[in-house]
Each structure stands twice: as structure tokens, then as C-alpha cells.
Amino acid sequence: MTLKTIQYMTSGTCCALMNVVIEDNKIYDVEFFGGCNGNLQGIRSLVKGMDIDEVISKLQGIKCGAKSTSCPDQLSKCLIEYKNTLEVKS
């Protein structure tokens, strides 16, 4: 079991920081700092065990009110950034 932890500084959301733990291209866990606690607990519960490509597909582009992004969208951006670093290393 190889776990990779990513610390991601968000932009444009109430959640300022997230820690995402990935194992074998799946979300092992995610922790949010700041933001709407109940909603973020729900997102955490839903994405655990999901393939990162599926998470990106489902969450990318979601907006929060008049904001151009949201906590789910920021999670997708984190995962895209992670995937891009893998491609550069290959």
C-alpha cells in the first residue's frame, strides 16, 4: 500500500486548504480546513474509494453561488494538478 498525501491551497473558496490522500489512483481520504463543515464531511464520505478520474468528472466546474469555483471544483483542480505531475514524471 503506497499512500500519497497532497496538500492543496485552494483559491476562491471558504475552505483554505485540503489534504488529499491517494492510493492506487483512488481517494483514500480527504480533509478540508475551513468551509461548510457538514457539506465537506458529505463530500469526504462520498469521494472516499472513488477513482480520481471519476471524482474529477463529477466535481469539475461546480460553482458556489456567484463564485467561479467551489470546494468540490477545487478538489477536482487538486486532482488534475496531481495527475499532471505524474505525467511529467513519466
Side-chain angles (χ1 to χ4, degrees):
M1 169 162 61
T2 304
L3 298 177
K4 170 71 177 168
T5 302
I6 305 159
Q7 192 170 65
Y8 186 76
M9 300 291 294
T10 62
S11 177
T13 60
C14 298
C15 170
L17 175 73
M18 54 181 74
N19 285 333
V20 182
V21 183
I22 298 173
E23 177 188 32
D24 298 327
N25 212 47
K26 295 187 184 303
I27 302 287
Y28 182 81
D29 198 8
V30 61
E31 187 175 14
F32 300 93
F33 298 91
C36 305
N37 187 40
N39 290 335
L40 295 173
Q41 284 181 51
I43 292 169
R44 179 184 190 194
S45 179
L46 290 169
V47 300
K48 278 185 179 182
M50 284 180 66
D51 184 87
I52 62 173
D53 291 319
E54 185 178 2
V55 173
I56 292 167
S57 159
K58 290 183 180 279
L59 301 183
Q60 188 175 25
I62 293 175
K63 296 180 180 172
C64 183
K67 296 178 184 178
S68 62
T69 189
S70 66
C71 295
D73 183 54
Q74 289 294 299
L75 177 56
S76 75
K77 290 179 186 308
C78 169
L79 297 174
I80 290 167
E81 190 174 290
Y82 168 73
K83 284 183 60 173
N84 288 340
T85 64
L86 293 179
E87 291 171 7
V88 169
K89 290 179 183 178
S90 298

Coordinates of all heavy atoms in Angstrom, one line a residue:
M1 N 0.9 -1.2 0.0 CA 0.0 0.0 0.0 C 0.9 1.2 0.0 O 1.7 1.4 0.9 CB -0.9 0.0 1.2 CG -1.6 1.3 1.5 SD -3.1 1.2 2.5 CE -2.5 0.7 4.1
T2 N 0.8 2.0 -1.0 CA 1.5 3.3 -1.1 C 0.6 4.4 -1.1 O -0.2 4.6 -2.0 CB 2.4 3.3 -2.5 OG1 3.2 2.2 -2.5 CG2 3.2 4.6 -2.5
L3 N 0.6 5.2 -0.1 CA -0.2 6.4 0.1 C 0.5 7.6 -0.3 O 1.7 7.8 0.1 CB -0.7 6.5 1.5 CG -1.6 5.4 2.1 CD1 -1.9 5.7 3.5 CD2 -2.8 5.2 1.3
K4 N -0.1 8.5 -1.1 CA 0.5 9.8 -1.5 C -0.4 10.9 -0.9 O -1.6 10.9 -1.2 CB 0.6 9.9 -3.0 CG 0.9 11.2 -3.5 CD 2.4 11.6 -3.3 CE 2.7 12.9 -3.9 NZ 3.9 13.5 -3.5
T5 N 0.2 11.8 -0.1 CA -0.6 12.9 0.5 C -0.3 14.2 -0.2 O 0.9 14.5 -0.4 CB -0.3 13.0 2.0 OG1 -0.6 11.8 2.7 CG2 -1.1 14.1 2.6
I6 N -1.3 14.9 -0.6 CA -1.2 16.1 -1.3 C -1.8 17.2 -0.4 O -2.9 17.1 0.0 CB -1.9 16.1 -2.6 CG1 -1.5 15.0 -3.5 CG2 -1.8 17.4 -3.4 CD1 -2.5 14.6 -4.6
Q7 N -1.0 18.3 -0.2 CA -1.6 19.4 0.5 C -1.9 20.5 -0.6 O -1.0 20.9 -1.3 CB -0.6 19.9 1.5 CG -1.2 20.9 2.5 CD -0.3 21.3 3.6 OE1 0.8 21.8 3.4 NE2 -0.7 20.9 4.8
Y8 N -3.1 20.9 -0.7 CA -3.5 21.8 -1.7 C -4.1 23.1 -1.1 O -5.1 23.0 -0.4 CB -4.5 21.1 -2.6 CG -4.9 21.9 -3.8 CD1 -4.1 22.0 -4.9 CD2 -6.2 22.6 -3.9 CE1 -4.4 22.7 -6.1 CE2 -6.5 23.3 -5.0 CZ -5.7 23.3 -6.1 OH -6.0 24.0 -7.2
M9 N -3.5 24.2 -1.5 CA -4.1 25.5 -1.1 C -5.1 25.9 -2.1 O -4.9 26.0 -3.3 CB -3.0 26.6 -1.1 CG -1.8 26.3 -0.2 SD -2.2 26.4 1.6 CE -2.6 28.1 1.8
T10 N -6.4 26.1 -1.6 CA -7.5 26.4 -2.5 C -7.5 27.9 -2.9 O -6.8 28.7 -2.3 CB -8.8 26.0 -1.9 OG1 -9.0 26.8 -0.7 CG2 -8.9 24.6 -1.5
S11 N -8.3 28.2 -3.8 CA -8.4 29.6 -4.3 C -9.9 29.9 -4.5 O -10.6 29.2 -5.2 CB -7.6 29.8 -5.6 OG -7.8 31.1 -6.1
G12 N -10.4 31.0 -3.9 CA -11.8 31.4 -4.2 C -12.8 30.7 -3.4 O -14.0 30.8 -3.7
T13 N -12.5 30.0 -2.4 CA -13.5 29.2 -1.6 C -13.2 29.5 -0.1 O -12.2 30.0 0.3 CB -13.3 27.7 -1.8 OG1 -12.0 27.3 -1.4 CG2 -13.6 27.3 -3.2
C14 N -14.2 29.2 0.7 CA -14.1 29.3 2.2 C -13.1 28.3 2.8 O -12.4 28.6 3.7 CB -15.5 29.1 2.8 SG -16.7 30.4 2.3
C15 N -13.1 27.2 2.2 CA -12.1 26.2 2.6 C -10.7 26.7 2.0 O -10.6 26.9 0.8 CB -12.4 24.8 1.9 SG -11.1 23.6 2.1
A16 N -9.7 26.9 2.9 CA -8.5 27.4 2.5 C -7.4 26.4 2.1 O -6.5 26.7 1.4 CB -7.9 28.3 3.7
L17 N -7.6 25.2 2.7 CA -6.6 24.1 2.5 C -7.3 22.8 2.5 O -8.2 22.5 3.2 CB -5.6 24.2 3.6 CG -4.5 23.1 3.7 CD1 -3.5 23.4 2.6 CD2 -3.8 23.2 5.1
M18 N -6.8 21.9 1.7 CA -7.2 20.5 1.8 C -6.0 19.5 1.7 O -5.1 19.8 1.0 CB -8.3 20.2 0.7 CG -7.9 20.4 -0.7 SD -9.2 20.1 -2.0 CE -10.4 21.4 -1.7
N19 N -6.1 18.5 2.4 CA -5.2 17.4 2.4 C -5.9 16.2 1.7 O -6.9 15.8 2.2 CB -4.7 16.9 3.7 CG -3.7 17.9 4.4 OD1 -3.0 18.6 3.7 ND2 -3.7 18.0 5.7
V20 N -5.3 15.7 0.6 CA -5.9 14.6 -0.1 C -4.9 13.5 -0.1 O -3.7 13.6 -0.4 CB -6.2 15.0 -1.6 CG1 -6.8 13.9 -2.3 CG2 -7.0 16.3 -1.7
V21 N -5.4 12.3 0.3 CA -4.6 11.1 0.3 C -5.0 10.2 -0.8 O -6.2 9.8 -0.8 CB -4.6 10.4 1.7 CG1 -3.7 9.2 1.8 CG2 -4.3 11.4 2.9
I22 N -4.1 9.8 -1.6 CA -4.4 8.9 -2.8 C -3.6 7.6 -2.7 O -2.5 7.6 -2.3 CB -4.0 9.6 -4.1 CG1 -4.8 10.9 -4.2 CG2 -4.2 8.7 -5.3 CD1 -4.4 11.8 -5.4
E23 N -4.4 6.5 -3.0 CA -3.8 5.2 -3.1 C -4.2 4.5 -4.3 O -5.4 4.4 -4.6 CB -4.2 4.4 -1.8 CG -3.6 3.0 -1.9 CD -4.2 2.1 -0.8 OE1 -5.4 2.3 -0.4 OE2 -3.5 1.2 -0.4
D24 N -3.3 4.1 -5.2 CA -3.6 3.4 -6.4 C -4.7 4.1 -7.2 O -5.7 3.5 -7.7 CB -4.1 2.0 -6.1 CG -3.0 1.1 -5.4 OD1 -1.8 1.3 -5.7 OD2 -3.4 0.3 -4.6
N25 N -4.5 5.4 -7.4 CA -5.4 6.2 -8.3 C -6.8 6.4 -7.7 O -7.7 6.8 -8.4 CB -5.4 5.7 -9.7 CG -5.6 6.8 -10.7 OD1 -4.9 7.9 -10.6 ND2 -6.5 6.6 -11.6
K26 N -6.9 6.1 -6.4 CA -8.2 6.3 -5.7 C -8.1 7.2 -4.5 O -7.0 7.3 -3.9 CB -8.8 5.0 -5.3 CG -9.1 4.0 -6.4 CD -9.8 2.8 -5.9 CE -10.1 1.8 -7.0 NZ -10.9 2.2 -8.1
I27 N -9.1 7.9 -4.2 CA -9.1 8.8 -3.0 C -9.2 7.8 -1.8 O -10.1 7.1 -1.6 CB -10.3 9.7 -2.9 CG1 -10.4 10.6 -4.2 CG2 -10.3 10.5 -1.7 CD1 -9.4 11.7 -4.2
Y28 N -8.1 7.9 -1.0 CA -8.1 7.2 0.3 C -8.8 8.0 1.4 O -9.5 7.5 2.2 CB -6.6 6.9 0.7 CG -6.5 6.1 1.9 CD1 -6.6 4.7 1.9 CD2 -6.2 6.7 3.1 CE1 -6.5 3.9 3.0 CE2 -6.0 5.9 4.3 CZ -6.2 4.6 4.2 OH -6.0 3.8 5.4
D29 N -8.5 9.3 1.4 CA -9.2 10.2 2.3 C -8.9 11.6 1.9 O -8.0 11.9 1.1 CB -8.5 10.0 3.7 CG -9.4 10.6 4.8 OD1 -10.6 11.0 4.6 OD2 -9.0 10.7 6.0
V30 N -9.8 12.5 2.3 CA -9.6 14.0 2.1 C -10.0 14.7 3.3 O -11.0 14.3 4.0 CB -10.4 14.4 0.8 CG1 -11.8 14.2 0.9 CG2 -10.1 15.9 0.5
E31 N -9.3 15.7 3.7 CA -9.6 16.6 4.8 C -9.6 18.0 4.4 O -8.7 18.5 3.7 CB -8.5 16.3 5.9 CG -8.8 17.0 7.2 CD -7.7 16.6 8.3 OE1 -6.6 16.1 7.9 OE2 -8.0 16.9 9.4
F32 N -10.6 18.7 4.8 CA -10.8 20.1 4.4 C -10.6 21.0 5.6 O -11.1 20.7 6.7 CB -12.3 20.3 3.9 CG -12.6 19.5 2.7 CD1 -13.2 18.3 2.8 CD2 -12.3 20.0 1.4 CE1 -13.5 17.5 1.7 CE2 -12.6 19.3 0.3 CZ -13.2 18.0 0.4
F33 N -10.0 22.2 5.4 CA -9.8 23.1 6.5 C -10.5 24.4 6.2 O -10.1 25.1 5.2 CB -8.3 23.3 6.8 CG -7.6 22.1 7.2 CD1 -7.0 21.2 6.2 CD2 -7.5 21.7 8.5 CE1 -6.4 20.1 6.5 CE2 -6.9 20.5 8.8 CZ -6.3 19.7 7.9
G34 N -11.5 24.7 6.9 CA -12.4 25.8 6.6 C -13.6 25.4 5.8 O -13.6 24.2 5.3
G35 N -14.5 26.3 5.5 CA -15.6 25.9 4.7 C -16.8 25.4 5.5 O -16.8 25.4 6.7
C36 N -17.8 24.9 4.8 CA -19.1 24.4 5.3 C -18.9 23.0 5.8 O -18.9 22.1 5.0 CB -20.2 24.5 4.3 SG -20.4 26.1 3.6
N37 N -18.7 22.9 7.1 CA -18.3 21.6 7.7 C -19.2 20.4 7.3 O -18.7 19.4 6.9 CB -18.3 21.7 9.2 CG -17.7 20.5 9.9 OD1 -16.7 19.9 9.4 ND2 -18.3 20.1 11.0
G38 N -20.5 20.6 7.4 CA -21.4 19.5 7.1 C -21.3 19.1 5.6 O -21.2 17.9 5.3
N39 N -21.3 20.1 4.7 CA -21.2 19.8 3.3 C -19.8 19.1 3.0 O -19.8 18.1 2.2 CB -21.3 21.0 2.4 CG -22.7 21.6 2.5 OD1 -23.7 20.9 2.7 ND2 -22.8 22.9 2.3
L40 N -18.8 19.6 3.6 CA -17.5 19.0 3.3 C -17.3 17.6 3.9 O -16.6 16.7 3.3 CB -16.4 19.9 3.8 CG -16.4 21.3 3.0 CD1 -15.4 22.2 3.6 CD2 -16.1 21.0 1.5
Q41 N -18.0 17.3 5.0 CA -18.0 16.0 5.5 C -18.7 15.0 4.5 O -18.3 13.9 4.3 CB -18.7 15.9 6.9 CG -17.9 16.4 8.0 CD -18.6 16.3 9.3 OE1 -19.1 15.3 9.7 NE2 -18.7 17.4 10.1
G42 N -19.8 15.5 3.9 CA -20.5 14.8 3.0 C -19.7 14.5 1.7 O -19.6 13.3 1.3
I43 N -19.0 15.5 1.2 CA -18.1 15.3 0.1 C -17.0 14.2 0.4 O -16.7 13.3 -0.4 CB -17.4 16.6 -0.4 CG1 -18.5 17.5 -1.0 CG2 -16.3 16.4 -1.4 CD1 -18.1 18.9 -1.2
R44 N -16.4 14.4 1.6 CA -15.4 13.5 2.1 C -15.9 12.0 2.0 O -15.2 11.1 1.5 CB -14.9 13.9 3.5 CG -13.9 13.0 4.0 CD -13.6 13.4 5.5 NE -12.4 12.7 6.0 CZ -12.0 12.6 7.2 NH1 -12.7 13.2 8.1 NH2 -10.9 12.0 7.6
S45 N -17.1 11.8 2.6 CA -17.6 10.5 2.7 C -17.9 9.9 1.3 O -17.7 8.8 1.0 CB -18.9 10.5 3.5 OG -19.5 9.3 3.6
L46 N -18.4 10.8 0.4 CA -18.8 10.3 -1.0 C -17.6 10.0 -1.8 O -17.7 9.1 -2.6 CB -19.6 11.4 -1.6 CG -21.0 11.6 -1.1 CD1 -21.7 12.8 -1.7 CD2 -21.9 10.3 -1.3
V47 N -16.5 10.7 -1.7 CA -15.4 10.5 -2.6 C -14.4 9.4 -2.1 O -13.6 8.9 -2.9 CB -14.6 11.8 -2.9 CG1 -15.5 12.8 -3.6 CG2 -13.9 12.4 -1.7
K48 N -14.5 9.0 -0.9 CA -13.6 8.0 -0.4 C -13.7 6.7 -1.2 O -14.9 6.3 -1.4 CB -13.8 7.7 1.1 CG -13.2 8.6 2.0 CD -13.4 8.2 3.5 CE -12.8 9.1 4.5 NZ -12.9 8.6 5.8
G49 N -12.6 6.2 -1.7 CA -12.7 5.0 -2.5 C -12.9 5.2 -4.0 O -12.8 4.3 -4.8
M50 N -13.3 6.4 -4.4 CA -13.5 6.7 -5.8 C -12.2 6.9 -6.6 O -11.3 7.4 -6.1 CB -14.4 8.0 -6.0 CG -15.8 7.8 -5.6 SD -16.8 9.3 -5.8 CE -16.7 9.6 -7.6
D51 N -12.2 6.5 -7.8 CA -11.1 6.7 -8.7 C -11.0 8.2 -9.0 O -12.0 8.9 -9.1 CB -11.4 6.0 -10.1 CG -10.3 6.2 -11.0 OD1 -9.4 5.3 -11.0 OD2 -10.3 7.1 -11.8
I52 N -9.8 8.8 -9.0 CA -9.6 10.2 -9.1 C -10.2 10.8 -10.4 O -10.7 11.9 -10.5 CB -8.2 10.6 -8.9 CG1 -7.2 10.1 -10.0 CG2 -7.7 10.3 -7.5 CD1 -5.8 10.6 -9.9
D53 N -10.2 10.0 -11.5 CA -10.8 10.4 -12.8 C -12.3 10.6 -12.6 O -12.9 11.5 -13.2 CB -10.4 9.5 -13.9 CG -9.0 9.5 -14.3 OD1 -8.4 10.6 -14.3 OD2 -8.4 8.5 -14.5
E54 N -12.9 9.7 -11.9 CA -14.4 9.8 -11.7 C -14.7 11.1 -10.8 O -15.7 11.8 -11.1 CB -14.9 8.6 -11.0 CG -16.4 8.6 -10.9 CD -17.0 7.3 -10.3 OE1 -16.2 6.4 -9.9 OE2 -18.2 7.2 -10.2
V55 N -13.9 11.3 -9.8 CA -14.1 12.5 -9.0 C -13.9 13.8 -9.8 O -14.8 14.6 -9.7 CB -13.1 12.5 -7.8 CG1 -13.2 13.8 -7.0 CG2 -13.3 11.3 -6.9
I56 N -12.9 13.8 -10.6 CA -12.7 15.0 -11.5 C -13.9 15.2 -12.4 O -14.5 16.3 -12.5 CB -11.4 14.8 -12.3 CG1 -10.2 14.9 -11.4 CG2 -11.4 15.9 -13.4 CD1 -8.9 14.5 -12.1
S57 N -14.4 14.1 -13.0 CA -15.5 14.2 -13.9 C -16.8 14.7 -13.2 O -17.5 15.4 -13.8 CB -15.7 12.8 -14.5 OG -17.0 12.6 -15.0
K58 N -17.0 14.2 -12.0 CA -18.3 14.6 -11.3 C -18.2 16.0 -10.7 O -19.2 16.7 -10.6 CB -18.6 13.6 -10.3 CG -19.0 12.2 -10.8 CD -19.4 11.3 -9.7 CE -19.8 9.9 -10.3 NZ -21.2 9.9 -10.8
L59 N -17.0 16.5 -10.3 CA -16.9 17.7 -9.5 C -16.4 18.9 -10.3 O -16.6 20.0 -9.8 CB -16.1 17.5 -8.3 CG -16.5 16.4 -7.3 CD1 -15.6 16.3 -6.1 CD2 -17.9 16.5 -6.9
Q60 N -15.7 18.7 -11.4 CA -15.1 19.8 -12.1 C -16.2 20.8 -12.6 O -17.2 20.3 -13.2 CB -14.3 19.3 -13.3 CG -13.5 20.3 -14.0 CD -12.6 19.7 -15.1 OE1 -12.9 18.6 -15.6 NE2 -11.6 20.4 -15.4
G61 N -16.0 22.0 -12.4 CA -16.9 23.1 -12.9 C -18.0 23.5 -12.0 O -18.8 24.4 -12.3
I62 N -18.2 22.8 -10.8 CA -19.3 23.1 -9.9 C -18.9 24.5 -9.3 O -17.8 24.8 -8.9 CB -19.4 22.1 -8.8 CG1 -19.9 20.8 -9.4 CG2 -20.3 22.6 -7.7 CD1 -20.0 19.6 -8.4
K63 N -19.9 25.4 -9.3 CA -19.8 26.7 -8.7 C -20.5 26.8 -7.4 O -21.5 26.2 -7.2 CB -20.3 27.8 -9.7 CG -19.4 27.7 -11.0 CD -19.9 28.8 -12.0 CE -19.0 28.6 -13.2 NZ -19.4 29.4 -14.3
C64 N -20.1 27.8 -6.6 CA -20.8 28.1 -5.3 C -21.4 29.5 -5.4 O -20.6 30.4 -5.3 CB -19.8 27.9 -4.1 SG -20.5 28.2 -2.5
G65 N -22.7 29.5 -5.5 CA -23.3 30.8 -5.6 C -22.7 31.6 -6.8 O -22.6 31.1 -7.9
A66 N -22.3 32.9 -6.5 CA -21.8 33.7 -7.6 C -20.3 33.5 -7.8 O -19.7 34.1 -8.7 CB -22.1 35.2 -7.3
K67 N -19.7 32.7 -7.0 CA -18.3 32.4 -7.2 C -18.0 31.6 -8.4 O -18.9 30.8 -8.9 CB -17.7 31.6 -5.9 CG -17.8 32.4 -4.7 CD -17.3 31.5 -3.5 CE -17.5 32.2 -2.2 NZ -17.1 31.4 -1.1
S68 N -16.8 31.7 -9.0 CA -16.5 31.0 -10.2 C -16.0 29.6 -9.9 O -15.7 28.8 -10.8 CB -15.4 31.7 -11.0 OG -14.2 31.8 -10.2
T69 N -15.9 29.2 -8.6 CA -15.5 27.9 -8.2 C -16.2 27.4 -7.0 O -17.1 28.1 -6.5 CB -13.9 27.9 -8.0 OG1 -13.4 26.6 -7.8 CG2 -13.5 28.8 -6.8
S70 N -15.8 26.3 -6.4 CA -16.4 25.8 -5.2 C -15.4 24.8 -4.6 O -14.4 24.5 -5.2 CB -17.7 25.0 -5.5 OG -17.4 23.9 -6.3
C71 N -15.7 24.3 -3.4 CA -14.9 23.3 -2.8 C -14.8 22.1 -3.6 O -13.7 21.6 -3.8 CB -15.3 23.0 -1.3 SG -15.2 24.5 -0.2
P72 N -15.9 21.5 -4.1 CA -15.8 20.4 -5.0 C -14.9 20.7 -6.2 O -14.1 19.8 -6.6 CB -17.2 20.0 -5.4 CG -18.0 20.6 -4.3 CD -17.3 21.9 -3.9
D73 N -15.1 21.8 -6.9 CA -14.3 22.2 -8.0 C -12.8 22.3 -7.7 O -12.0 21.8 -8.4 CB -14.8 23.5 -8.6 CG -14.1 23.9 -9.9 OD1 -14.0 23.1 -10.8 OD2 -13.6 25.1 -9.9
Q74 N -12.5 22.9 -6.5 CA -11.1 23.0 -6.1 C -10.5 21.6 -5.8 O -9.4 21.3 -6.1 CB -11.0 23.8 -4.8 CG -11.3 25.3 -5.0 CD -10.2 25.9 -5.9 OE1 -9.0 25.9 -5.5 NE2 -10.6 26.4 -7.1
L75 N -11.3 20.6 -5.3 CA -10.8 19.2 -5.2 C -10.5 18.7 -6.6 O -9.5 18.0 -6.7 CB -11.9 18.4 -4.5 CG -11.5 16.9 -4.3 CD1 -10.2 16.7 -3.6 CD2 -12.6 16.2 -3.6
S76 N -11.3 18.9 -7.6 CA -11.0 18.4 -8.9 C -9.8 19.1 -9.5 O -8.9 18.4 -10.1 CB -12.2 18.7 -9.9 OG -12.3 20.0 -10.2
K77 N -9.6 20.4 -9.2 CA -8.3 21.1 -9.6 C -7.1 20.5 -9.0 O -6.1 20.3 -9.6 CB -8.4 22.6 -9.3 CG -9.4 23.3 -10.2 CD -9.5 24.8 -9.9 CE -10.6 25.5 -10.6 NZ -10.6 25.4 -12.1
C78 N -7.2 20.1 -7.7 CA -6.1 19.5 -7.0 C -5.8 18.2 -7.6 O -4.6 17.9 -7.9 CB -6.5 19.2 -5.5 SG -5.5 18.2 -4.6
L79 N -6.8 17.4 -8.0 CA -6.5 16.1 -8.6 C -6.0 16.2 -10.0 O -5.1 15.4 -10.4 CB -7.8 15.2 -8.6 CG -8.4 14.9 -7.2 CD1 -9.7 14.2 -7.3 CD2 -7.4 14.1 -6.4
I80 N -6.4 17.2 -10.7 CA -5.9 17.4 -12.1 C -4.4 17.8 -12.0 O -3.5 17.3 -12.7 CB -6.7 18.5 -12.8 CG1 -8.1 18.0 -13.2 CG2 -5.9 19.0 -14.1 CD1 -9.0 19.0 -13.6
E81 N -4.1 18.7 -11.0 CA -2.7 19.1 -10.8 C -1.8 17.8 -10.4 O -0.7 17.7 -10.9 CB -2.6 20.1 -9.7 CG -1.3 20.8 -9.5 CD -1.4 21.9 -8.5 OE1 -2.0 22.9 -8.8 OE2 -0.8 21.7 -7.4
Y82 N -2.4 17.0 -9.6 CA -1.7 15.8 -9.2 C -1.4 14.9 -10.4 O -0.3 14.4 -10.6 CB -2.5 15.0 -8.2 CG -2.0 13.6 -7.9 CD1 -0.9 13.3 -7.2 CD2 -2.7 12.5 -8.4 CE1 -0.4 12.0 -7.0 CE2 -2.3 11.2 -8.1 CZ -1.2 11.0 -7.4 OH -0.7 9.7 -7.2
K83 N -2.4 14.7 -11.2 CA -2.3 13.9 -12.5 C -1.2 14.5 -13.4 O -0.4 13.7 -14.0 CB -3.6 13.7 -13.2 CG -4.6 12.8 -12.5 CD -5.8 12.6 -13.3 CE -5.5 12.1 -14.7 NZ -6.7 11.7 -15.5
N84 N -1.2 15.8 -13.5 CA -0.2 16.4 -14.4 C 1.2 16.2 -13.9 O 2.1 16.1 -14.7 CB -0.5 17.9 -14.5 CG -1.8 18.2 -15.4 OD1 -2.2 17.3 -16.1 ND2 -2.4 19.4 -15.2
T85 N 1.4 16.2 -12.6 CA 2.7 15.9 -12.1 C 3.1 14.5 -12.4 O 4.3 14.2 -12.6 CB 2.8 16.2 -10.6 OG1 2.0 15.3 -9.8 CG2 2.5 17.6 -10.2
L86 N 2.2 13.6 -12.4 CA 2.5 12.2 -12.7 C 2.9 12.1 -14.2 O 3.9 11.3 -14.5 CB 1.3 11.3 -12.5 CG 0.9 11.1 -11.0 CD1 -0.3 10.1 -11.0 CD2 2.0 10.5 -10.2
E87 N 2.2 12.8 -15.1 CA 2.5 12.7 -16.5 C 3.9 13.3 -16.8 O 4.6 12.8 -17.6 CB 1.5 13.5 -17.3 CG 0.1 12.7 -17.3 CD -1.0 13.5 -17.9 OE1 -0.8 14.6 -18.4 OE2 -2.1 13.1 -17.8
V88 N 4.3 14.4 -16.0 CA 5.6 15.0 -16.2 C 6.7 14.0 -15.8 O 7.8 14.0 -16.5 CB 5.7 16.3 -15.4 CG1 7.1 16.8 -15.4 CG2 4.7 17.3 -16.0
K89 N 6.5 13.3 -14.7 CA 7.5 12.3 -14.3 C 7.7 11.1 -15.2 O 8.7 10.5 -15.2 CB 7.1 11.8 -12.8 CG 7.3 12.9 -11.8 CD 6.9 12.4 -10.4 CE 6.9 13.5 -9.4 NZ 6.5 13.0 -8.1
S90 N 6.6 10.8 -16.0 CA 6.7 9.6 -16.8 C 7.6 9.8 -18.0 O 7.9 10.8 -18.5 CB 5.3 9.3 -17.4 OG 4.4 9.0 -16.3

